[in-house]
């Protein structure tokens, strides 16, 4: 009998995780999918070219819900998605399972709605924990895992977390990392782009910076200290800085625009598309970031990643991979950059199941 899956995505990075899953499902004629985009993160880059690059269909359903507080957004998603779950697929069949990925509000909202309708939920990227309850994503992770009947885990620490929380072992499956599936499939395509020459940098001779978290950009003192370190480094190593709109606003608010522009080695760009950004990060000498996904990608690429966070829900990127936590300590950032530049930084290794085949392990479980 054909199985009907509802798959929910709420933000652009969710599609990077869903793409390899859809490709693997296409090999199974007994599985049909309905792709639902909540619109949580309104992104003008979610155009036809975006879906063509990932080689996936456009969403079957787009809810167009974005903005508002966490509570408002969650409530609107739940109200809008419930009728879809009740109606079933366009093929006239009830859904057999909901698949959600990651930890955004859409993930939690869709999972709660499905659970109340007795629709089984499978959570991809289950078990990740930062142990920081001030992060909205941590609440989403805990709730989604608590009501999911199938927990598909990207790294061993996630398995340990779930078992410690009392989840039955037969519901917990270590499958690997879907984001790395997409990275490995599109890496050569990305490297064929002219991004580096367009920006004016050479492979292995520049760094990449991304910052957006409140702990790094909401304090004038903290952001000023970080920018001073980056300006000093940029005198020896060009730094490409795709500036998040939130960070751009803070730079202007705190009067740091002149500091940012004081070095020709700080090369600012608007936010980039997935392939363009992958072309940039995959050839970098080092990465400075507070992004969770970039910790994973840098580990898979074997590129030093200085993570400006006090904690991480992806501990294998530190224990095995190429990431080092430096918090928002500008001095620690400077020391680690020196270690990269003098060749003493340890990039570690890529986790065993981050091999580009996570989706192939997931589909039989679904």
């Amino acid at each position: 009998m054909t199985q009907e899956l509802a798959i929910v995505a709420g933000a652009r990075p969710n599609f990077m995780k869903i793409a390899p899953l859809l490709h693997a499902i296409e090999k199974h004629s007994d599985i049909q999918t309905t792709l639902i985009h909540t619109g949580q993160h309104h992104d003008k880059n979610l155009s036809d070219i975006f879906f063509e690059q990932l080689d996936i269909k456009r969403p079957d359903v787009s809810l167009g819900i974005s903005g508002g507080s966490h509570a408002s957004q969650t409530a609107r998603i739940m109200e809008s998605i419930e009728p879809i779950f009740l109606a079933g697929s366009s093929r006239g069949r009830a859904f057999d399972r909901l698949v959600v990925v990651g930890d955004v509000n859409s993930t939690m909202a869709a999972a709660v709605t499905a659970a109340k309708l007795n629709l089984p939920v499978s959570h991809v990227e289950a078990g990740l924990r930062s142990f920081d309850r001030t992060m909205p994503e941590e609440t989403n992770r805990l709730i989604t895992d608590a009501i999911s009947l199938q927990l598909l885990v990207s790294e061993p620490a996630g398995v340990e977390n779930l078992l410690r929380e009392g989840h039955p072992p037969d519901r917990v499956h270590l499958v690997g990392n879907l984001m790395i599936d997409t990275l490995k499939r599109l890496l050569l395509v990305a490297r064929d782009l002219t991004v580096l020459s367009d920006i004016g940098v050479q492979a292995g001779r520049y760094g990449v910076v991304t910052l957006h978290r409140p702990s790094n950009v909401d304090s004038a003192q903290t952001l000023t200290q970080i920018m001073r370190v980056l300006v000093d480094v940029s005198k020896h190593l060009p730094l490409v800085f795709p500036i998040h709109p939130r960070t751009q606003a803070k730079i202007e608010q705190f009067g740091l625009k002149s500091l940012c522009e004081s070095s020709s080695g700080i090369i600012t760009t608007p936010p980039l598309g997935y392939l363009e950004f992958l072309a940039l990060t995959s050839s970098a000498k080092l990465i400075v970031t507070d992004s969770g996904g970039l910790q994973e990608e840098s580990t898979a690429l074997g590129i030093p990643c200085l993570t400006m966070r006090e904690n991480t829900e992806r501990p294998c990127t530190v224990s095995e991979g190429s990431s080092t936590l430096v918090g928002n300590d500008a001095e620690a950032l400077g020391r680690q950059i020196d270690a990269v530049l003098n060749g003493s930084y340890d990039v570690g290794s890529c986790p065993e199941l981050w091999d580009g085949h996570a989706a192939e392990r997931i589909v039989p479980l679904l």
Side-chain angles (χ1 to χ4, degrees), residues 267-283:
I267 305 168
T268 60
T269 75
L272 301 175
Y274 175 74
L275 282 180
E276 291 77 12
F277 191 59
L278 179 57
L280 188 65
T281 57
S282 64
S283 293

Side-chain angles (χ1 to χ4, degrees), residues 159-172:
V159 173
E160 296 169 8
N161 293 333
L162 292 168
L163 295 180
R164 185 174 57 251
E165 291 168 10
H167 292 276
D170 62 350
R171 294 184 180 180
V172 180

Side-chain angles (χ1 to χ4, degrees), residues 106 217 271:
S106 300
V217 305

Side-chain angles (χ1 to χ4, degrees), residues 30-173:
D30 57 343
I31 304 178
Q32 298 292 329
T33 61
T34 297
L35 179 57
I36 303 168
H37 180 215
T38 67
Q40 177 181 331
H41 292 172
H42 177 70
D43 192 327
K44 68 180 186 300
N45 287 321
L46 287 180
S47 58
D48 288 338
I49 187 64
F50 173 81
F51 294 100
E52 289 170 11
Q53 287 178 344
L54 291 179
D55 191 24
I56 60 172
K57 63 180 179 179
R58 291 192 63 88
D60 299 293
V61 180
S62 296
L63 301 182
I65 297 170
S66 63
S69 68
H70 287 288
S72 169
Q73 190 178 80
T74 300
R76 286 182 291 142
I77 292 169
M78 294 177 72
E79 287 179 338
S80 298
I81 211 166
E82 183 182 49
I84 297 168
F85 290 162
L86 288 170
S89 74
S90 60
R91 291 167 287 277
R93 295 189 64 245
F95 291 118
D96 297 296
R97 181 180 299 272
L98 167 68
V99 181
V100 292
V101 299
D103 53 21
V104 296
N105 289 341
S106 300
T107 301
M108 182 270 287
V112 170
T113 305
K116 286 178 176 279
L117 296 174
N118 295 316
L119 175 60
V121 178
S122 295
H123 183 204
V124 178
E125 267 196 346
L128 297 184
R129 299 288 182 269
S130 67
F131 302 102
D132 180 358
R133 293 294 184 95
T134 66
M135 296 178 65
E137 298 91 342
E138 186 78 350
T139 299
N140 292 340
R141 295 175 199 124
L142 288 162
I143 293 173
T144 304
D145 285 345
I147 57 180
S148 294
L149 294 181
Q150 191 175 57
L151 300 156
L152 304 167
V153 188
S154 59
E155 62 173 272
V159 173
E160 296 169 8
N161 293 333
L162 292 168
L163 295 180
R164 185 174 57 251
E165 291 168 10
H167 292 276
D170 62 350
R171 294 184 180 180
V172 180
H173 307 275

Side-chain angles (χ1 to χ4, degrees), residues 164-216:
R164 185 174 57 251
E165 291 168 10
H167 292 276
D170 62 350
R171 294 184 180 180
V172 180
H173 307 275
L174 182 62
V175 294
N177 192 327
L178 284 176
M179 185 73 88
I180 307 307
D181 286 22
T182 296
L183 182 151
K184 287 183 176 289
R185 188 174 72 86
L186 294 177
L187 182 58
L188 293 180
V189 176
R191 285 179 168 169
D192 275 344
L193 301 178
T194 60
V195 174
L196 270 62
S197 58
D198 291 345
I199 292 175
V201 292
Q202 294 181 313
R205 297 185 179 182
Y206 64 91
V208 174
V209 178
T210 75
L211 298 171
H212 73 282
R213 292 189 181 273
S215 59
N216 291 320

